[in-house]
Amino acid sequence: MSLPASVEGRDRARLFCGLRLPDQALDALQQWQSEHIEDGRPVARDHLHVTLAFLGHRRVAELEPILGALREAAAAAGPIRLVPERYRETRSVGMLTLDDESGWATTIAARLHAGLEQLGVYRSEARPWLAHLTVLRFKERPRLDPVLPEPGEVVPSDAAVFISRLRPGGAEYESVETVALGG
């Protein structure tokens, strides 16, 4: 594993694991955002992903074992098909909740959570994992009710460990390494 130059020499990095989306899905989502998201800060095209596990600040030395857990969880995956189910807002983000039609995204998340817990770098949340795509960030809830985007089905391209850097304009994500889904 070669570390991005921005991490070399650092002791800690803010990390998460996620499913990356293919260009066609990213293009469709970006178009949908431009047509239906009127307020707040839409998440940039290159930062759209489905989070599997947010790890927070971790030691850079833990990256290789974290990647190992992601590789193991992703290798056993069958075909993932995610379909936007509804738009939902929390106190700070707007998201598309996704129906995990095949159940494989949920299986990968569960396997990854178990592997990361075994490493001592993650604690599963009390609530079940929710397949979702954050599409908007805001300070005040805009209470949008947009139509769901086309195309309906999204098939993730692969999985990755990302570095998240907090910036005044919002978080920026960089993929450390990608892993194939299904081995």
Side-chain angles (χ1 to χ4, degrees), residues 22-23 45 54-55 76 80 85 95 117-118 153 166-167:
D23 286 337
R45 178 191 187 279
F54 180 74
L55 305 173
I80 299 172
E85 201 169 44
M95 68 177 75
E117 282 191 54
Q118 193 171 21
E153 185 175 271
L166 299 177
R167 304 276 192 239

Side-chain angles (χ1 to χ4, degrees), residues 1 17 62-73 112 116 119 159-161 176-179:
M1 172 188 68
C17 300
E62 295 172 320
L63 263 171
E64 189 56 49
I66 290 167
L67 274 163
L70 180 60
R71 282 186 202 105
E72 190 174 314
L112 177 62
L116 294 171
L119 293 172
V161 172
V176 175
E177 188 170 314
T178 61
V179 301

Side-chain angles (χ1 to χ4, degrees), residues 90-131:
T90 67
R91 63 180 170 78
S92 61
V93 302
M95 68 177 75
L96 293 170
T97 60
L98 305 168
D99 179 18
D100 180 14
E101 288 190 336
S102 65
W104 279 110
T106 303
T107 299
I108 290 172
R111 289 178 178 170
L112 177 62
H113 295 172
L116 294 171
E117 282 191 54
Q118 193 171 21
L119 293 172
V121 298
Y122 182 77
R123 185 181 311 160
S124 290
E125 296 181 23
R127 61 184 176 204
W129 178 76
L130 174 67

Side-chain angles (χ1 to χ4, degrees), residues 14-43:
R14 190 171 184 254
L15 304 174
F16 69 91
C17 300
L19 298 172
R20 295 186 337 144
L21 307 177
D23 286 337
Q24 180 181 358
L26 293 172
D27 291 343
L29 287 163
Q30 183 179 36
Q31 179 67 35
W32 174 82
Q33 285 174 310
S34 70
E35 293 172 0
H36 299 284
I37 303 296
E38 301 130 14
D39 298 318
R41 291 187 330 259
V43 174

